[in-house]
Amino acid sequence: MSKRLLLLASSLLSFFIPAGKTHAQTDPNLFKLPDTVCNGHEIVPFNIIQTAQNYFWTFCPPNLASTPNGNNIGPVQSVSNTRGIVMAEDDSFYYSFHINASGGLARMKYANGLNGLPSMITGIGEGAVNPGGIYLVNNGAWHLFEVAGTDNTNSKLIRYDFGPNGLKSLPTEVSLGNIDGALNGPHELYMVKEDSLWYGFTFTKNEELLRLDFGTNLTGTPTLTNLGNIDGHFDDVTSITGIQELDNWHLFITNRATNSVNRISFGNNLTNVPFVVDLGTLGNRIKEPVGIVITKDCDSYYGFVLNFGTASLVTLNWEAQSIANTPTADNKGNVAGFTTIANMSNIGRENGAMYMLATNEDNSISKIIYPSCTNATPAFSDLRLPPSFVIDEPGTYTVFLTINEGLPTVQTDCEQVYVYAHTPLTISNDTLICQRDTIQLSALSLDADSFKWTPDYYIDTTMGQFVHVNPNLSVQYTVTTYYNYNCIVKTPINVTVSKIAADAGPDRIVGDGSTTILGGPGTSLGTQYSYEWLPDIGFTESRFMPITKVRPPYDITYYLNITNSDGCKTIDSVLVQAPCDDIHLPNAFKPNGIDGSGKFGLLNQELVKINYFKIYDRWGKEVFSTTDPHGKWNGTVDGKDAPMGVYMWEVDANCANTQERYRRSGNVTLLR
């Protein structure tokens, strides 16, 4: 499954942004689309940038202005009073990491995607006293950072290093200690890479903002700068995130005590002295906030804040403005079964949908889901040259391309396409036919210029509104309807062939009175088929089987009739000739034998007249005589069992169909 995680590029803005409304981003021109097409037209992006390290297309993105879906999956094993949660995609699977108040770190794998339940819950570290926040980064290898502690004596920064097998492996725990003794009850953690340099941000229990400078070596011990409680804006900070606009970096935080959101702007370098803008309660919609994340949606920014006080999700919308302006806020309510919200994860994207996770103080997990729209096929792609996509419903749609996702050079471009409704098109429905049947397919539309059908497989013509097809196998035909250059509509029609074939076997000639097998290898076999042989003459085994045996009394044409569970029928025939051309008797018999006959007589069935049929013992004494064509010797003489040995027979008889007379003699061995 194709999945992507939107790791929000940590950000802060470049020095001072002038007052007023500034546009969010210049168009990065990563790709182009046709301006206008009709619904059903295959859309092909062009002028696609070639130098990116990864690509993620969303052809029908979620509507972030709408109210999301959500659910509460209930308490989860190993989650206990979570102090931090983060998630990431690795090797086609999502993982979430939870740090508990006890210091234990738990990893959960979403083997069935973010829409499923977490599985393979694993404890991967003991952590430290009073954990305050975690953050996950990838610099060629995965590293999970954690801050913990109550005061200067036990506070520290911890790094978990994952091996070459990625997030599914057990990490190595490395304690970086209390850097310069300045970590004092640290809480919340956010990390970002600017150019080649790594930075982290956290707060002390005195609400002082700390910057961790790692330089180019993420696995080294950082230096620490205390930026203080800038203008006294920080008061019970509960979450931190970031975004970059143009060359400018911003952090956004939530203050639970003052019911507010703050923007911390650094200008064009994270080492600049920042300033703080208090966005306030945003129309009294922020109530004891405990989580915030921000993402970009074409020309607009969207933020998501979780309120502890109202157990609700609040969306922030900067519309087509700069992130440096004040957003509008909308309380979406309790969309995911929130109880008492503890904290919020970053954003994950999977199959075109956007997800956020929240933990509650009752140890349950809530999922916030912005589903992808269903009007585009396919909905997403991770290829540089994506497949063409089709939009079914008229309207104006925005297509996104994000490149270098998860890297500091991440960029998102969006292009809009207007989709209009073409003239109504009536196409044959998918259909079921019996093997060797013919069906008419049709495509009707008043304003269409022409129609073309593919593939050229058992079809009478490939052009026109009506065609006739008689495929041997199930096949998908496609009719392409041409309106104009930006309205070419391809419509598939599935023709399912119900396989049914009868093979009665080859015609043959058998000796008069002989048994032969009816049925050939081409017959359809299975429990979905029923069989019947006709006429009911001469069968020695069941005539309701695909293969059976028969002893024809004369020349007969047999018919194999087959019906399947779809109601399809077929028939095949075989001519079995049994000419009367000789006298046929067995060369041995055993009275009352296990072969079931127990008597010795003519095998022929076409003898119309027996002049005589006589049997003699070895001394020439007649032991049996009859003129009945069906007469048989039972192996007795004068009512007593004849002795075992060789006996001689003589036959004089006439055939029914030719009236030819045959006189024959021979020997038979009587067995006991």
Side-chain angles (χ1 to χ4, degrees), residues 227-352:
L227 300 175
N229 188 336
I230 304 171
D231 298 329
H233 284 291
F234 311 142
D235 192 357
D236 192 10
V237 176
T238 52
S239 60
I240 179 173
T241 190
I243 199 76
Q244 182 182 24
E245 182 181 60
L246 299 175
D247 292 326
N248 302 306
W249 294 89
H250 304 273
L251 290 182
F252 286 82
I253 66 165
T254 55
N255 293 303
R256 182 169 178 174
T258 57
N259 302 314
S260 63
V261 175
N262 291 171
R263 186 186 73 243
I264 309 171
S265 298
F266 284 76
N268 62 359
N269 193 294
L270 290 171
T271 61
N272 289 334
V273 177
F275 65 92
V276 178
V277 175
D278 185 359
L279 301 177
T281 64
L282 296 173
N284 293 320
R285 289 177 174 82
I286 305 301
K287 301 289 185 180
E288 297 185 80
V290 292
I292 184 170
V293 292
I294 297 176
T295 188
K296 187 173 182 292
D297 184 65
C298 200
D299 289 333
S300 298
Y301 291 98
Y302 283 90
F304 305 91
V305 176
L306 284 185
N307 280 337
F308 174 90
T310 56
S312 61
L313 174 72
V314 176
T315 59
L316 311 180
N317 185 3
W318 282 264
E319 298 177 348
Q321 308 301 328
S322 168
I323 197 74
N325 294 317
T326 300
T328 59
D330 185 11
N331 192 321
K332 300 297 185 181
N334 191 336
V335 297
F338 305 127
T339 55
T340 48
I341 307 169
N343 40 56
M344 184 182 191
S345 76
N346 51 330
I347 289 174
R349 293 188 186 266
E350 180 181 69
N351 297 339

Side-chain angles (χ1 to χ4, degrees), residues 78-85 97-106 125-134 146-150 154 186 342-343 359-361 363:
S78 299
V79 172
S80 177
N81 194 9
T82 301
R83 296 290 184 84
I85 176 174
F97 295 84
H98 306 247
I99 188 71
N100 296 321
S102 62
L105 183 63
E126 296 181 359
V129 175
N130 193 38
I134 55 174
E146 174 189 348
V147 290
T150 59
N154 57 13
N343 40 56
T359 60
N360 299 292
E361 290 185 1
N363 301 324

Side-chain angles (χ1 to χ4, degrees), residues 501-518:
D503 183 2
D507 295 345
R508 79 284 307 271
I509 300 174
V510 298
D512 181 16
S514 298
T515 299
T516 186
I517 296 175
L518 300 183

Side-chain angles (χ1 to χ4, degrees), residues 410-489:
V410 60
Q411 283 184 292
T412 296
D413 187 14
C414 57
E415 298 288 339
Q416 289 189 327
V417 56
Y418 172 68
V419 179
Y420 67 90
H422 59 68
T423 302
L425 176 62
T426 303
I427 302 292
S428 296
N429 294 325
D430 293 346
T431 188
L432 171 71
I433 65 170
C434 299
Q435 193 172 8
R436 287 182 292 276
D437 279 358
T438 298
I439 191 171
Q440 177 180 277
L441 304 180
S442 62
L444 304 173
S445 188
L446 292 178
D447 293 338
D449 294 332
S450 61
F451 303 89
K452 183 177 181 180
W453 298 80
T454 56
D456 188 3
Y457 171 74
Y458 287 91
I459 187 170
D460 62 343
T461 180
T462 58
M463 304 298 293
Q465 294 176 298
F466 301 96
V467 297
H468 293 86
V469 299
N470 60 331
N472 283 330
L473 301 173
S474 297
V475 62
Q476 184 182 83
Y477 290 97
T478 298
V479 56
T480 302
T481 305
Y482 294 87
Y483 292 96
N484 52 56
Y485 77 96
N486 70 348
C487 190
I488 301 172
V489 180

Side-chain angles (χ1 to χ4, degrees), residues 335-661:
V335 297
F338 305 127
T339 55
T340 48
I341 307 169
N343 40 56
M344 184 182 191
S345 76
N346 51 330
I347 289 174
R349 293 188 186 266
E350 180 181 69
N351 297 339
M354 191 177 85
Y355 294 81
M356 291 168 282
L357 303 178
T359 60
N360 299 292
E361 290 185 1
D362 62 0
N363 301 324
S364 64
I365 295 178
S366 294
K367 291 182 184 179
I368 304 161
I369 306 169
Y370 282 89
S372 63
C373 78
T374 58
N375 293 335
T377 306
F380 61 94
S381 174
D382 59 0
L383 302 175
R384 176 187 171 267
L385 299 176
S388 61
F389 63 97
V390 172
I391 296 177
D392 300 326
E393 297 294 329
T396 300
Y397 293 84
T398 302
V399 175
F400 285 79
L401 170 60
T402 298
I403 64 170
N404 299 335
E405 194 169 61
L407 302 174
T409 53
V410 60
Q411 283 184 292
T412 296
D413 187 14
C414 57
E415 298 288 339
Q416 289 189 327
V417 56
Y418 172 68
V419 179
Y420 67 90
H422 59 68
T423 302
L425 176 62
T426 303
I427 302 292
S428 296
N429 294 325
D430 293 346
T431 188
L432 171 71
I433 65 170
C434 299
Q435 193 172 8
R436 287 182 292 276
D437 279 358
T438 298
I439 191 171
Q440 177 180 277
L441 304 180
S442 62
L444 304 173
S445 188
L446 292 178
D447 293 338
D449 294 332
S450 61
F451 303 89
K452 183 177 181 180
W453 298 80
T454 56
D456 188 3
Y457 171 74
Y458 287 91
I459 187 170
D460 62 343
T461 180
T462 58
M463 304 298 293
Q465 294 176 298
F466 301 96
V467 297
H468 293 86
V469 299
N470 60 331
N472 283 330
L473 301 173
S474 297
V475 62
Q476 184 182 83
Y477 290 97
T478 298
V479 56
T480 302
T481 305
Y482 294 87
Y483 292 96
N484 52 56
Y485 77 96
N486 70 348
C487 190
I488 301 172
V489 180
K490 294 182 179 180
T491 309
I493 306 172
N494 292 302
V495 177
T496 302
V497 177
S498 180
K499 182 179 179 182
I500 186 168
D503 183 2
D507 295 345
R508 79 284 307 271
I509 300 174
V510 298
D512 181 16
S514 298
T515 299
T516 186
I517 296 175
L518 300 183
T523 295
S524 299
L525 301 178
T527 58
Q528 68 271 38
Y529 301 97
S530 60
Y531 310 91
E532 182 181 17
W533 289 90
L534 293 172
D536 186 9
I537 299 174
F539 285 91
T540 60
E541 293 185 0
S542 172
R543 64 187 183 91
F544 300 102
M545 300 290 290
I547 305 295
T548 188
K549 291 183 179 180
V550 67
R551 181 183 291 126
Y554 43 80
D555 295 353
I556 299 178
T557 298
Y558 288 99
Y559 296 89
L560 173 59
N561 296 274
I562 303 180
T563 303
N564 68 11
S565 56
D566 292 323
C568 297
K569 299 177 182 294
T570 190
I571 189 171
D572 193 31
S573 64
V574 56
L575 172 61
V576 181
Q577 294 177 291
C580 182
D581 57 1
D582 205 349
I583 301 297
H584 300 285
L585 291 100
N587 57 16
F589 86 108
K590 184 177 183 180
N592 301 315
I594 60 174
D595 63 353
S597 62
K599 295 181 180 181
F600 174 69
L602 293 167
L603 298 176
N604 298 71
Q605 299 193 58
E606 294 194 38
L607 296 176
V608 68
K609 179 181 179 182
I610 302 293
N611 299 313
Y612 59 82
F613 171 30
K614 297 181 179 182
I615 302 174
Y616 306 91
D617 64 15
R618 60 181 177 173
W619 292 283
K621 179 183 176 181
E622 182 179 293
V623 298
F624 176 78
S625 178
T626 185
T627 58
D628 181 359
H630 303 293
K632 296 181 184 294
W633 181 39
N634 63 4
T636 64
V637 178
D638 298 329
K640 297 180 180 180
D641 289 343
M644 183 175 63
V646 178
Y647 293 78
M648 185 183 73
W649 54 264
E650 291 181 341
V651 176
D652 184 344
N654 294 85
C655 284
N657 56 351
T658 64
Q659 295 300 316
E660 186 174 356
R661 184 176 182 181

Side-chain angles (χ1 to χ4, degrees), residues 1-12:
M1 63 191 137
S2 177
K3 305 174 181 175
R4 284 290 187 274
L5 174 67
L6 186 60
L7 297 173
L8 295 175
S10 169
S11 10
L12 304 139

